[in-house]
Amino acid sequence: MKEILLNPQLWSATLAMATPLALPALGGTFSERSGVVNIAMEGIMLIAAFFAVLFAHLTGSAWLGLLGAIVVGMIVAVIFAWAAVTLTADQVILGMAINIFASGFTAYLLNTIFGFSGTPTDTPMLPNINIPVIKNIPFIGQILSGNSVIVYLMIILIFASNYFLFHTNLGLRIRAVGENPEAAETAGINVIKLRYLGVALSGLFSAIGGAYLSIGLLNSFSTDMSSGRGYIALAAMIFGKWTPFGSFGAALLFGFATALSMQLQNSAMSKNIIMMLPYILTVLALVGVGGKSVSPAADGVPYTPKK
């Protein structure tokens, strides 16, 4: 076990596996801080993962694949916001419906467009970045350098989101809408617009996370490749108490569980038990911390403007 923990590949894999969790967890933070529970992040990730590969293949550019994934992901998020915020539909049921739709929709498109042979093997990937100074540092360089560009983008977004949410007037308004929409509207804040913004941001970050799976870690798409990461991201957000840094820390913890399960696959332990580690940790985190965490007061509560 000591050899495994001292292996830099374990910690590099932890960072890689934490990225597709941290991004939707960050998006969920914005959505729920504005008062909307967006369980549809799982479906948004899956749809974005497919369209990232599709656009990357059609254009020959992974960057255009990422852009296409973001656009499609935000469109799905806005549709969710229209139904949840404007039509005041049940947010949990709506989110689950989008997730189920995404699973069938992407599987249908995969077989229709690419056939049963799957996505082309020459699909462009987003580049990995070697950091000149850090890459030469023993142990640390193997962890922090040579990762996908999305990993470094995720770190930047974590810091930027924390500043935006807690140190800007717009961030304060988003949090006010999630805590007391009636008081926010009385103060002249447009509750509906800010809830749309929160959900749109969750779509943006979830789409980047989905694109990372298909053109960052790999250069292909497979059916249901998000594998419940959107749900684990929700657990990370709750575990992190609806804050960007907290969500990132929780994502690292779950990412470590995934990386450790990968390292232990050749051990004497049952492979099924090993593969369950990330999900077991998710349940334990929710049981141990979920009851102690206090969500925004108006989280998941539909709001109808008085005017």
Side-chain angles (χ1 to χ4, degrees):
M1 190 66 178
K2 181 179 179 181
E3 291 78 9
I4 293 177
L5 293 177
L6 292 178
N7 186 350
Q9 292 183 356
L10 170 67
W11 302 105
S12 177
T14 294
L15 190 58
M17 294 298 102
T19 299
L21 301 178
L23 285 165
L26 183 61
T29 298
F30 278 104
S31 181
E32 297 211 10
R33 281 287 184 173
S34 71
V36 181
V37 176
N38 188 2
I39 292 181
M41 292 189 300
E42 169 75 11
I44 293 173
M45 286 185 71
L46 189 58
I47 291 173
F50 174 80
F51 279 96
V53 169
L54 177 62
F55 286 122
H57 170 66
L58 293 177
T59 63
S61 169
W63 291 108
L64 290 178
L66 174 62
L67 178 61
I70 290 173
V71 170
V72 173
M74 291 189 71
I75 289 174
V76 176
V78 170
I79 293 173
F80 173 84
W82 171 73
V85 178
T86 303
L87 302 182
T88 65
D90 186 287
Q91 296 168 13
V92 174
I93 295 176
L94 179 62
M96 289 301 300
I98 290 178
N99 293 341
I100 295 170
F101 167 78
S103 178
F105 180 59
T106 53
Y108 170 76
L109 290 180
L110 177 63
N111 292 330
T112 301
I113 297 175
F114 296 108
F116 292 100
S117 59
T119 52
T121 56
D122 60 349
T123 301
M125 286 183 66
L126 291 168
N128 293 337
I129 296 179
N130 287 308
I131 306 175
V133 178
I134 295 179
K135 72 177 183 179
N136 296 322
I137 302 175
F139 192 81
I140 294 177
Q142 294 176 266
I143 300 172
L144 299 181
S145 182
N147 295 296
S148 170
V149 63
I150 297 296
V151 174
Y152 303 109
L153 176 61
M154 177 268 296
I155 294 173
I156 293 172
L157 289 173
I158 292 293
F159 283 91
S161 297
N162 188 76
Y163 179 82
F164 173 77
L165 201 54
F166 295 105
H167 297 91
T168 67
N169 288 332
L170 184 55
L172 175 61
R173 291 182 178 185
I174 289 175
R175 289 186 286 125
V177 164
E179 292 292 343
N180 194 328
E182 292 85 0
E185 185 180 31
T186 301
I189 298 173
N190 191 316
V191 175
I192 302 301
K193 284 185 178 180
L194 288 182
R195 288 194 166 182
Y196 265 85
L197 175 61
V199 176
L201 287 173
S202 73
L204 168 66
F205 293 126
S206 298
I208 297 174
Y212 172 73
L213 292 175
S214 60
I215 59 173
L217 283 175
L218 305 170
N219 66 333
S220 63
F221 177 85
S222 58
T223 304
D224 293 327
M225 73 180 304
S226 53
S227 301
R229 287 181 175 88
Y231 299 116
I232 298 178
L234 283 172
M237 176 198 66
I238 296 171
F239 191 79
K241 298 183 178 179
W242 293 269
T243 64
F245 287 141
S247 297
F248 177 53
L252 283 175
L253 180 61
F254 297 142
F256 172 75
T258 304
L260 183 61
S261 68
M262 294 165 60
Q263 292 286 328
L264 291 175
Q265 284 187 13
N266 294 325
S267 68
M269 293 178 63
S270 168
K271 184 177 180 180
N272 291 330
I273 294 177
I274 291 171
M275 297 305 295
M276 287 170 57
L277 280 178
Y279 305 99
I280 293 173
L281 184 59
T282 301
V283 174
L284 291 177
L286 289 176
V287 171
V289 178
K292 301 177 183 178
S293 299
V294 180
S295 64
D299 190 16
V301 180
Y303 181 74
T304 303
K306 296 178 181 178
K307 297 180 182 179

